[in-house]
Amino acid sequence: MGDHTEIELIAQTGTSEIMPGVSTKTWGFNGPHLGPTLRLSRGENVAITVKSELPETTAVHWHGMKLPAKADGGPHSPIEPGESWTAEFTVEQPPATLWYHPHPHGKTGVQAYRGLAGMLIIDDELDLPNEYGVDDIPVVIMDANFRDGQLDETFDLDVGLQGKTVYVNGITDPHFDATTSLLRMRLLNGSNMRFHNIGFKNGKTFKQIASDQGLLDEPKEVTSVALGPGERAEIVVEIDGDLELYSLGFEDRLGVPDDEFVPDFLLEEKASLLKINAGELKASKDLPAFAAIEPLQAEKVRTFELNTYEINGKSMDMTRVDEVIDHDEPEIWEVTNANSDWIHNFHIHNARFQVDGAWKATVTIRPGETVRLLVEFGHYPDPHWPYMYHCHMLYHEDQGMMGQYVVVSSGESPDLQTDFLHHH
Ligand code: C2O
Ligand code: CU
Ligand code: CU
């Protein structure tokens, strides 16, 4: 079948200018900060080798991919300083905007904060704006706190590494010169903790064409899209003058009460994301017709309760299997945020799920809310390797708000290999 592609990523330290004229120590893949955008297409056989030149253990996860657990890059696949790890898989899912980021046990937040993150695009099968950097641009949103020009890694006891300075594609105050009448933007909320309500400063309407895991059933006219940590959306905007992509803030604070005992998740905060200058514009083609999304049929129900740093009353244990999936059918996962004053979200590895009629891999859950996810898992039975599900607010995840599931063949039992936990 498909092509065979080999990709090498070198995780490294360096310095970059997030703020103009200020040299900041950062981490990146194949460069000092962030990583290259990887482009794959359906049917492609891929081998991605990650070599670590970092001073500490890392792991690299392909967020949104359905793939064998051995290649998923969770905390069970640590990469020690100076060592390499190779993930091999075949792309068997529809076009979407995914991403990759670190996932070492307990240290995901700080490593992502230093800049280890990149976009992973599964190429279009419809005729959409797709000239990278021209009418199809990545918008990778992150944030940081700076002290003396360096990343401040002081953990706030309530919100961890939640940054007050928002930056996009590695820099503060970026701008883009638009040259086409339609501009497609692939928005990725790559922040540790922050939720963004993204639109234009002047309130202009635009079309959302895709959520986390691929196209919607049709382009949807909106004035904002909400993205929690880890989420993506693709939007298409008609350029009719200069525009400013903006984090508009959540007027309703996503249901989080406004009182002094509640952690400050910066939900009402506004921030400029990207200034778009309209130059001479070439006319773009109209968007094509999209395909319907058929609702998944599922019977098996599992329930998850998120409460402070725990899921179903448990904190992450790499040697414990929390859920076993021994079939190749979709399931219903009902996930409740049991906190009355904290926001959480929920991400499942090796899966895409339907919620609100769209395909997603991470969903925001308001205080007291229950979401019902129709989940389609990748089916690569392997009793030895687990997949993760967790809150994608990285401080919560690193505090243990994560569980493990194993996909096995019918009748088989999980048998985790955790020897590496004892090796030095
Ligand atoms: Cu985006 Cu378990 O991760
Ligand atoms: Cu993931
Ligand atoms: Cu959380």
Side-chain angles (χ1 to χ4, degrees), residues 81-135:
E83 290 184 0
S84 295
W85 170 77
T86 301
E88 288 182 274
F89 58 93
T90 300
V91 179
E92 290 177 327
Q93 69 196 70
T97 301
L98 315 181
W99 67 303
Y100 58 97
H101 64 75
H103 218 306
H105 184 59
K107 295 206 73 177
T108 294
V110 68
Q111 293 193 3
Y113 184 79
R114 291 170 183 158
L116 287 183
M119 201 171 257
L120 191 166
I121 294 173
I122 303 179
D123 279 324
D124 293 335
E125 293 168 5
L126 288 181
D127 189 11
L128 290 159
N130 71 350
E131 203 179 329
Y132 189 77
V134 178
D135 63 2

Side-chain angles (χ1 to χ4, degrees), residues 60-62 67-74 77 85-89 385 387:
V60 178
H61 167 59
W62 323 104
L67 75 189
K70 196 176 189 301
D72 184 52
S77 302
W85 170 77
T86 301
E88 288 182 274
F89 58 93
W385 293 84
Y387 296 100

Side-chain angles (χ1 to χ4, degrees), residues 343-344 391 393 396 401:
I343 188 75
H344 290 295
C391 178
M393 297 168 76
H396 295 183
M401 202 166 200

Side-chain angles (χ1 to χ4, degrees), residues 235-253:
I235 65 171
V236 172
V237 60
E238 202 179 307
I239 308 293
D240 54 4
D242 294 351
L243 285 171
E244 189 169 356
L245 189 73
Y246 216 68
S247 180
L248 303 161
F250 294 93
E251 256 168 55
D252 68 352
R253 302 173 51 92

